[in-house]
Amino acid sequence: MREKALTACHPSRDAGTFSGLGCHDRHQALSLEWEKVTTNPSEIAEPLRQAGVAALVLKAIEAILGMLAAMVLVGLLLIVLTSVCLRYFFNTGLIGAEDAGIWMHVALISLGAPLSLKSALAMRLDAFVRLLPERLAPVAEVLADVFTVLAALSLIFGGAEIVVMLGGVSPTLGLPEWIRFGFLGAGGGLVLLMLLLQRAADGKAIAVLISLALGTALYFGVPKVLFDTHLPPSLFLALIGGLGLVLATPLAHAFLAAAYVAIAFGSSLPEPAIVSTTVTGMSKFLLLAIPFFLLVGGLLTASGVANQLVRFAASMVGHRRAGLAQTTLLTSVFLSGASGSSVANAAFGASIFQPELVKHGYPAAQAGAIIAATSVLDNIIPPSIAFLILAAATNLSVGSLLVGGFFAGALMAICLAVAIHLTVREQVTRPRATASARWQAAASAIPAFGLGIIVVVGIRVGIVTTTEAAALAAFYALLLGLWGRIGFGALFSVFRQSATEAAAIGLLIGTAGPFAFLLAVDDISGLVSEFTTMLGGSALAVIILSNVILLAVGLVLDIGAAILLFGPILLPAAVSAGIDPIQFGVIIVVNLMIHGLTPPLGMLIFVVSGVTRVPASALFRAVLPYLVALLTSLAILCAWATIF
């Protein structure tokens, strides 16, 4: 009770302030603080009241935005499914279906992105901030919020300029073209509002007002300044964005703010063009597959179908040495063909397998490391959101990338199985499942395997597009959920969470657009090609250089951002060296996915740590053998690409 009161009355000092104290010292510190509160209630009454009002308003807005985002996702699913049905059953189509889907996707991002502001979906790199002395942490937070304020103002005013300037009407929808860009401007306003409310609810109203003042001053000051330099503007964008990253700014906000500040360094993208490029980057029909695949994963977990895959995997390998760990691996392989989301699989595995692994004698850190390492496969084995992003950035064939993902995923799974066999010792194994038990487990898992058939076969044969296959898979998973009697509350929660996750990914894809544009203008891909030529221009030189670059940027960039920025840069050099573009695309994704296990970003490690409460530092140490196994699979893929 006391700790709750202290956290509420002194929001600047949360429970984490006392985490470094022993129990006696912590109790003493809490007692002193409690005495201050009880003897001077007037000092905290007003801040507490203000924080309470802000928290209530914030909660209400979050509920409304969540409901609207979920409804937009439902509408997206209905539009795509209706279009498929009309084409195949009535030999006709739904006029404007593709444009409507794209517009609604932009609206979904605008509604859902503000909801991810305080979650892991914001994609903050807080490793450096955690190293700062405690007295400097509030300063870093204020500066990080300056980036968010600047990004939000860029969207608001840039979107407003486009609304005023842009004319014309969509020929298929009959709506003014400015509406699509207006969505993102409104989204910027929502981000700014949510930031102010969140900080006020945390008792940091003064700090956020300072951030607002600094961000506003910077916004209006940038157009009045021009630095005369011969260096490429993309370099300054990278440096400024890197500063935002170090300060733990949400990655998408760092990209936007840096693109705006780069105007002062000669950037060829004025403010309206930044917003236009951002909207264009997320306005691809292919990207609609991302929320649908996320929806599939959520529905599988909520309906219990994922547990059927677990039982089947256990019946196949549970009796072997390290059987439960091998079951975890095989389950990840099966779930990879359903959701395409490594983060979702990491959260699922951490909640389902971690307790069982520990119960059977596995050290907690090793159990979490196995779960994180096996979750890498979800973005490799089709359907893969990472391959969708790569296809959107490079125009490579989605179907061919998915086939390459099958081969790469199988190789990585084998390497992980060997690593698990060598590192896990003296664990209690389960009895071998009988033939009838295996058949029963396989039969119960058949509905889940149907998802893989819908997605991969449908795309590869050309029966449906990638987005249509994802929509059909989501509808199929919804039917499985209804058959499993999933409740309305759980169903709404799945749609809301999927919409929020998709919005965060979509915003990142869009905001990487200005950066990618400046990289193209500055001919960075040409510089890479020239450098590889200096190294001999061979396939081996390109492979080595590309992996070094990807291994470096993957340490500090989210996989989606790294694919969007460096895929188009590295691919031309690979093609010039005679490397198959599909094989090279697979190498890019595999390389970057491995960084889900490496510090300081290590998204999969932090997801598992958050669910299991095992310190991330312990997980980073325990995952080393499995990281070596994955790097070995990467080396094999690279050797294959250079030889064949």
Side-chain angles (χ1 to χ4, degrees), residues 301-568:
T301 303
S303 64
V305 175
N307 292 326
Q308 297 171 1
L309 292 173
V310 174
R311 287 194 293 272
F312 176 58
S315 70
M316 297 296 293
V317 298
H319 61 281
R320 298 182 179 275
R321 175 178 170 178
L324 192 54
Q326 300 288 7
T327 299
T328 303
L329 171 61
L330 191 56
T331 301
S332 286
V333 172
F334 291 155
L335 284 176
S336 299
S339 70
S341 170
S342 289
V343 171
N345 193 17
F348 172 79
S351 59
I352 298 298
F353 286 112
Q354 175 79 6
E356 289 298 316
L357 288 167
V358 173
K359 188 186 300 183
H360 283 73
Y362 290 71
Q366 185 184 45
I370 291 171
I371 292 167
T374 57
S375 299
V376 170
L377 300 176
D378 277 70
N379 256 326
I380 306 298
I381 299 176
S384 163
I385 292 174
F387 283 134
L388 292 177
I389 295 174
L390 179 64
T394 61
N395 294 320
L396 290 176
S397 166
V398 176
S400 298
L401 286 172
L402 295 184
V403 172
F406 268 124
F407 174 76
L411 176 62
M412 296 169 74
I414 292 171
C415 291
L416 282 174
V418 172
I420 289 172
H421 181 81
L422 295 176
T423 56
V424 177
R425 303 179 185 278
E426 300 178 1
Q427 303 300 334
V428 179
T429 58
R430 299 184 178 187
R432 181 186 293 269
T434 63
S436 60
R438 288 185 178 181
W439 279 110
Q440 289 177 354
S444 65
I446 287 176
F449 290 133
L451 285 166
I453 297 174
I454 291 173
V455 174
V456 179
V457 175
I459 295 173
R460 187 60 180 166
V461 175
I463 300 174
V464 289
T465 66
T466 303
T467 299
E468 291 171 343
L472 289 172
F475 180 65
Y476 180 80
L478 179 60
L479 293 179
L480 292 179
L482 295 176
W483 180 265
R485 297 184 179 180
I486 182 174
F488 176 79
L491 192 63
F492 171 76
S493 179
V494 169
F495 271 87
R496 182 188 186 279
Q497 181 64 23
S498 300
T500 304
E501 292 174 355
I505 296 172
L507 183 64
L508 177 63
I509 292 172
T511 54
F515 198 174
F517 178 85
L518 287 182
L519 289 173
V521 170
D522 294 334
D523 195 25
I524 302 301
S525 62
L527 294 177
V528 172
S529 297
E530 290 179 9
F531 190 69
T532 55
T533 302
M534 292 171 56
L535 296 176
S538 65
L540 180 60
V542 172
I543 285 288
I544 292 175
L545 178 63
S546 299
N547 276 287
V548 169
I549 292 174
L550 293 172
L551 287 171
V553 301
L555 292 173
V556 294
L557 275 185
D558 172 79
I559 178 176
I563 289 173
L564 291 165
L565 296 178
F566 290 92

Side-chain angles (χ1 to χ4, degrees), residues 65 68-70 72-73 76 101-117 155 180 182-191 252-253 256 278-284 287-288 290-291 294 498-511:
L65 290 179
L68 292 175
V72 171
L73 181 53
L76 275 173
I102 290 173
W103 285 39
M104 291 178 68
H105 185 231
V106 176
L108 174 68
I109 293 171
S110 302
L111 290 168
L115 294 173
S116 64
L117 193 59
L155 291 178
R180 179 161 54 109
F183 284 146
L184 204 58
L190 289 172
V191 167
H253 301 172
L256 269 178
T278 300
V279 173
T280 302
M282 61 180 67
S283 297
K284 298 178 180 178
L287 297 179
L288 270 64
I290 293 176
L294 292 171
S498 300
T500 304
E501 292 174 355
I505 296 172
L507 183 64
L508 177 63
I509 292 172
T511 54

Side-chain angles (χ1 to χ4, degrees), residues 124 139-149 195 199 211 244 247-250 253:
R124 300 175 185 265
V139 178
E141 185 175 68
V142 167
L143 294 177
D145 287 347
V146 169
F147 276 81
T148 297
V149 169
L195 175 68
R199 295 294 183 248
S211 299
L247 292 170
T249 304
H253 301 172

